[in-house]
Amino acid sequence: GESVGLHLPTLSVQEGDNSIINCAYSNSASDYFIWYKQESGKGPQFIIDIRSNMDKRQGQRVTVLLNKTVKHLSLQIAATQPGDSAVYFCAEMSYNFNKFYFGSGTKLNVKP
Amino acid sequence: DVKVTQSSRYLVKRTGEKVFLECVQDMDHENMFWYRQDPGLGLRLIYFSYDVKMKEKGDIPEGYSVSREKKERFSLILESASTNQTSMYLCASSPPGPGADTQYFGPGTRLTVL
């Protein structure tokens, strides 16, 4: 079956620095990818998505990069703030199989 | 904004009890999902529904059932709760169509089975 994983389970950054969270996926047929943020005690919150026909997408302070050659997804957060502290996880979906597969998450700690 | 609500934030039940977890969404979404979230395992799909009275098994349906009598409401049922069903349960909904994109999540129900 598919697997979606993260390289680093915990990431600590200084406030104001840029953060990069990585995700590896195994299904080369995946068409769609999402990054979610989950704060303690809350449900996952959509951050940004990207389709397989793109390699980069930017939002407000966030950028998602997709490298289909090595099946790698990353989330970049610019000027990281204390409010960015949370668990971030990626999800992949193949439209053929119509289901999402989720990574286990990376915890981002932002030090003031 | 999409709003997905779950009936309880925290729930403690005893082994063998029947447990109902309720989820309601207010965006007229056709698709609704139940996941459980366990440390180190990520979200795992239990059941999902693409329409009223329609349900399909996810990856780990054993020990669970669901009910979708109304479009806005999707219930997860544990017929006889067991300790290995202690987990965080997350409900999600998404716009219509298979392969529909973003899923919107509720706040989660943390269930403890003693």
Side-chain angles (χ1 to χ4, degrees), chain A:
Chain A
E2 287 81 6
S3 65
V4 180
L6 297 171
H7 294 309
L8 299 173
T10 305
L11 177 65
S12 293
V13 298
Q14 206 69 38
E15 182 179 357
D17 287 352
N18 297 334
S19 302
I20 299 176
I21 301 171
N22 297 302
C23 177
Y25 64 95
S26 59
N27 183 8
S28 57
S30 290
D31 303 293
Y32 180 62
F33 305 85
I34 299 178
W35 277 103
Y36 284 96
K37 172 185 180 182
Q38 187 173 20
E39 296 174 274
S40 180
K42 297 183 179 179
Q45 178 186 2
F46 171 89
I47 302 173
I48 192 167
D49 60 357
I50 189 167
R51 299 187 190 278
S52 58
N53 61 351
M54 304 170 68
D55 53 20
K56 181 179 180 179
R57 190 160 189 230
Q58 287 184 293
Q60 187 177 13
R61 281 201 308 118
V62 294
T63 301
V64 55
L65 299 177
L66 175 63
N67 186 332
K68 294 181 286 294
T69 303
V70 295
K71 291 183 283 187
H72 184 267
L73 190 71
S74 69
L75 176 70
Q76 300 178 2
I77 304 174
T80 313
Q81 302 169 1
D84 294 328
S85 292
V87 173
Y88 291 81
F89 56 90
C90 61
E92 62 169 321
M93 184 181 74
S94 165
Y95 288 121
N96 286 338
F97 296 103
N98 201 25
K99 282 196 298 186
F100 278 98
Y101 292 90
F102 295 85
S104 56
T106 289
K107 185 174 183 179
L108 177 65
N109 292 322
V110 181
K111 295 176 285 188

Side-chain angles (χ1 to χ4, degrees), chain B:
Chain B
D1 283 348
V2 176
K3 192 168 184 184
V4 181
T5 57
Q6 296 182 226
S7 52
S8 305
R9 294 300 303 276
Y10 299 94
L11 210 53
V12 180
K13 295 291 181 180
R14 295 204 175 274
T15 301
E17 280 193 79
K18 190 169 186 176
V19 183
F20 292 88
L21 303 182
E22 303 284 342
C23 175
V24 177
Q25 50 94 4
D26 66 358
M27 283 301 292
D28 202 35
H29 285 169
E30 265 75 6
N31 304 329
M32 296 189 75
F33 308 81
W34 273 107
Y35 295 90
R36 62 178 283 176
Q37 184 179 34
D38 300 290
L41 294 178
L43 274 68
R44 292 181 291 167
L45 182 63
I46 305 172
Y47 266 97
F48 59 104
S49 170
Y50 287 136
D51 204 349
V52 176
K53 297 192 184 294
M54 180 271 175
K55 60 185 179 183
E56 288 196 32
K57 293 180 180 179
D59 297 317
I60 52 164
E62 296 79 18
Y64 304 94
S65 61
V66 290
S67 173
R68 185 103 182 263
E69 295 297 318
K70 293 185 178 181
K71 189 176 184 180
E72 67 270 18
R73 188 179 297 270
F74 192 34
S75 303
L76 180 69
I77 303 154
L78 287 66
E79 294 289 342
S80 178
S82 62
T83 55
N84 62 11
Q85 292 179 308
T86 292
S87 186
M88 169 70 88
Y89 289 88
L90 289 162
C91 174
S93 71
S94 70
D101 300 345
T102 307
Q103 296 188 4
Y104 298 89
F105 285 87
T109 295
R110 186 165 292 282
L111 172 67
T112 302
V113 183
L114 302 175

